[in-house]
Amino acid sequence: MAQINKNYLKLPGSYLFSTIGKKVREYGEANPDAEIIRLGIGDVTQPIAPAIIEALHSAVDEMGSADTFKGYAPDLGYEFLRDVISEKDFKARGCNISSDEIFISDGAKCDCGNIQEIFGLDNKVAVCDPVYPVYVDSNVMSGRTGEYDATLERFKDVIYMPCLEENGFMPEIPTEVPDLIYLCFPNNPTGAVMKKADLQKWVDYANENDSIILYDAAYEAYISEEDVPHSIFECEGARNCAIEFRSFSKTAGFTGLRLGYTVIPKDLTTGGDELWPLWARRHGTKYNGAPYIVQKAGAAVYSEQGRKQIEEQIAYYMGNAKIILEGLKEAGYSVSGGVNAPYIWLKTPDNMTSWDFFDFLLEKANVVGTPGSGFGPHGEHFFRLTAFGNRENTIKAVERIKLL
Amino acid sequence: MAQINKNYLKLPGSYLFSTIGKKVREYGEANPDAEIIRLGIGDVTQPIAPAIIEALHSAVDEMGSADTFKGYAPDLGYEFLRDVISEKDFKARGCNISSDEIFISDGAKCDCGNIQEIFGLDNKVAVCDPVYPVYVDSNVMSGRTGEYDATLERFKDVIYMPCLEENGFMPEIPTEVPDLIYLCFPNNPTGAVMKKADLQKWVDYANENDSIILYDAAYEAYISEEDVPHSIFECEGARNCAIEFRSFSKTAGFTGLRLGYTVIPKDLTTGGDELWPLWARRHGTKYNGAPYIVQKAGAAVYSEQGRKQIEEQIAYYMGNAKIILEGLKEAGYSVSGGVNAPYIWLKTPDNMTSWDFFDFLLEKANVVGTPGSGFGPHGEHFFRLTAFGNRENTIKAVERIKLL
């Protein structure tokens, strides 16, 4: 008899953002007049920039003509895209990452979720708490986490690194040595960033302990301060211990276009085994490339016009972040993030639970945010708002929250 | 110390089509004047049909305007696409498949490769031999196949169902009962099809033995004869034992656009566990939707104009199939397939191995095909040609082969 993968049954509840979507949908149906403002799921609202739209139209035309039609993409992605990424995202920052160390994909979420497949099931995983749920859930599904302890709200075999007010939402080196360390900076959900010297300590630690860092840099475009690394490969020795994930979703509004990439240095090994060929094999076997037209759109992000336009877009969202940050401070909330990241992390008032505050905000202000506890037990009593709304709605949402 | 997934080391050689790509690239570089005709990897050559191009342009425009911009897609895919699929691909054929049993994805290859994740590692897998490599390789990677026996060219714990000249390239019910049965009809690589009564026997067998059939119907659009089912759900009882994969790649030339879908009936269970929620969870956690513009393109495939145009395209490719089939017969080859499928399956002359014939054809005729042995040991001494070239090249390739 066919048997299901029983690891799935260990997952508590449904995927966080699916749950939020369902709650909001139900509230909207019950209250058709409510003008709901969504600052919950980290989805962007600004349209794709004109230079990118132009590139898309032109690529669509290519697909419509026999001479320029493109079928299956090359395994790692088109060279025109990998070359410009290598130049602009890495070499320009002094990182020695070559085109063939870049794997184009349909987004960082997929890559973050799939990367664990190239590692054995006995690896010990460390994650921040709170954390982007995909890192944990994908490891649960494959059987790397042990059982769920409902009292502790934790999986038995996962190392959790609490990110608290007290430590500035920064993980501390765990007492037990992990094999795989998920780090995300600028952080989702807290919006915290790690300075270069601090990240260097993690790189050194990983190299000393033969751990691999899985570094999610999906929000690097929002870094505004100096001395905050955009890539882990700015740190010395990172080529020997790190894999990096990048996304076009927040950088250029590609949440609905789907494009990202993963960097695996060719000389990265663990236990004597190279990682690059494993991911190449996985990529070639279980994936079939991002659409040509979307890869062309990705290349346009790096054009002079494209770059200028997305910088304006990022400035726009960071303007929203400032409005939320200052508005909530004025209203007496304890808030962080929002300076080098599009996320604002706030403490719920009156020690409300995160989900109670979610319901409260949805019902009283018709504003949707994300409950901090959805990101892990140490997210309890916190709440995430995003800067990805449009300006008008962001202002309106903050005004409504102020009136509560 | 981080450890790799050692199952990857069991995989013999590299992914078949990557190997072919490399060989062809090297030959091309060494022989820059050679006019190479590619009838190897099943990639299409005809441009995307005008009605679909129009839909793409219009969707791109939507992405460029704040009022119509689309971010993250709904978890299962856009309703406008799932609804039309349910109507046209299923209800029109008398199959009771509803919109919410359809999961939109970026292609059948990914879905075929990922589907095994929702099943336990102890399931016994059965595949045809020869077979599309993704079914086997994805199970190897997750550790469901045991060791590779290089002498037998087989994985110890996989049930292989030989598809031979003697049995008309049709698998026979295996003696050991499998838990998961991969079937692909119209078949890749042999081009063989199963009549409805024959497929019904498999459905009955699966229901009697609590097996799940993973049915790959990526080539259903090429069926020209009556009494050949386009979907396994045309068979009675399939809702209780089958998952189906569909692709826009060959139906509408989407190899470079990436779109497909998977059908999991809501009432499909195994061992008392429902499968739909598991795939929904996997989809929501490790995937983030096909691009909106590509989903709009997919919907245009079902429009009156779109349907007409892709039917012409399919007729064009099947014209190629006829040219190859008849040309090779004339040249004395033993050939099959090519009537309900875009693949022609031929016996190599003089008992040549498949790879020797590959080299022979590449060097003497500058024609690229796919070695049958790349699909499994019973593919040895066979060779696959595809009808996806353009007419001129197809005629030229056949002429060159005739002259050998």
Side-chain angles (χ1 to χ4, degrees), chain A residues 1-2, chain B residues 123-127 159 161 173-182 202 205-206 209-212:
Chain A
M1 181 191 286
Chain B
N123 287 281
K124 195 94 183 183
V125 168
V127 294
I159 300 171
M161 303 180 291
I173 301 276
T175 43
E176 186 184 356
V177 176
D179 302 308
L180 304 175
I181 305 169
Y182 287 86
W202 281 92
Y205 172 81
N209 292 279
D210 295 318
S211 312
I212 298 287

Side-chain angles (χ1 to χ4, degrees), chain A residues 2-3 13 61 109 270 281 284, chain B residues 2-3 13 57 109 123 270 281 284:
Chain A
Q3 294 287 346
D61 283 334
K109 181 183 174 190
T270 190
R281 186 69 191 238
Chain B
Q3 294 286 347
H57 277 305
K109 181 183 173 188
N123 287 281
T270 190
R281 186 70 192 237

